Amino acid sequence: MAPVEGLHTARSRGRNTRQLVHEVLRSRIVSLELAPGAAVSENDLAAELGVSRTPVRESLILLADEGLVDIYPQMGTFVSRIRERDVASAQFVREALECAALRDAVGKASERDIADLRALLAAQEEADRRTDREGFFQLDEQFHARLMAVSGHGSAWRVVSEAKAQLDRARRLSHALTQQMTLLVGQHRAVVDLLEAGDLDRADDALRSHLRLVFSDVEKIRARHPELFSDEDAPVRPRRDTARRGGSREEA
């Protein structure tokens, strides 16, 4: 669960309540703690977080703008199901920025840069050995952020992170359901090897292939769990009498 105590500490230091509530709820959705289709109660969240309903309501409106929740008048608010169009858009942004950064990084990577990347690879192998999916996800994030930093464009990782919320939900499902951590480590290693060798074109190809793996994973996950997905032109509308916090919703 997202750290509520951390929210209270941040509030005591003068941070904006709406922003903090938004961060907590966004984290729960992206981490799949709140599953696609789960009902979200303003009253329950306000009581749990120790805030009024106003910042919760405002945060939910922001999340709706991001496509992470669907608000149905007279029915309630639900975590949005994953839309493949949103995944594709997020992947477009991520690939464009990360591959552009990698091309700038080739020829600039220092021995320290390569050593840091290989240390992250070793940590990923250990997480894979322990089947630590959440740990692996965080190490994956650190690897890609560090890779961008090599180019001198490390600050652009924040743009990537903010753009890929829908993509991250699909990636977390991928780690849990397709069990491809070993494959991902191998792809990471290939990118580092080509970066160290200064092979710009092959490094670019390797990173693009790695980032696009999510598309085939989404197809596999959707075939096994169609209830987690929604078509853009035909959103799944939940039944009011079946809505429960944290569970799936049936189609109307």
Side-chain angles (χ1 to χ4, degrees), residues 36-201:
V40 180
S41 166
E42 285 185 16
N43 289 333
D44 290 349
L45 285 169
E48 177 192 349
L49 300 177
V51 299
S52 71
R53 290 180 58 188
T54 299
V56 174
R57 185 180 305 114
E58 292 174 344
S59 298
L60 292 173
I61 291 171
L62 291 175
L63 291 168
D65 290 341
E66 294 180 69
L68 292 174
V69 301
D70 296 318
I71 300 175
Y72 298 95
Q74 310 305 317
M75 183 174 290
T77 301
F78 300 82
V79 177
S80 68
R81 286 173 168 81
I82 297 171
R83 300 178 178 92
E84 291 188 45
R85 180 184 298 181
D86 292 339
V87 172
S89 295
Q91 174 61 20
F92 174 80
V93 172
R94 182 178 194 186
E95 183 176 321
L97 292 176
E98 288 201 46
C99 288
L102 179 66
R103 294 181 73 85
D104 281 352
V106 173
K108 293 182 180 178
S110 66
E111 291 184 4
R112 174 62 182 272
D113 292 328
I114 298 300
D116 286 349
L117 291 167
R118 294 201 183 282
L120 286 168
L121 290 177
Q124 289 172 14
E125 288 180 328
E126 177 60 20
D128 183 16
R129 187 187 66 78
R130 299 195 314 268
T131 318
D132 179 3
R133 296 187 182 92
E134 182 58 28
F136 185 90
F137 184 90
Q138 297 303 328
L139 289 164
D140 184 287
E141 293 287 280
Q142 292 175 40
F143 175 84
H144 285 275
R146 186 68 180 86
L147 195 60
M148 288 195 76
V150 174
S151 69
H153 303 304
S155 60
W157 178 251
R158 181 175 180 178
V159 178
V160 175
S161 296
E162 292 178 350
K164 65 186 182 71
Q166 297 284 11
L167 181 62
D168 284 348
R169 292 204 293 169
R171 289 172 60 216
R172 274 192 162 91
L173 285 170
S174 172
H175 290 176
L177 299 177
T178 63
Q179 299 181 352
Q180 297 193 100
M181 288 188 288
T182 301
L183 172 62
L184 296 176
V185 175
Q187 291 180 333
H188 287 165
R189 181 175 293 104
V191 171
V192 175
D193 289 345
L194 292 165
L195 174 64
E196 185 175 25
D199 193 331
L200 189 154
D201 290 336

Side-chain angles (χ1 to χ4, degrees), residues 14-25:
R15 292 194 60 194
N16 180 273
T17 300
R18 183 186 67 180
Q19 179 184 5
L20 292 167
V21 172
H22 174 261
E23 289 175 2
V24 168
L25 298 183

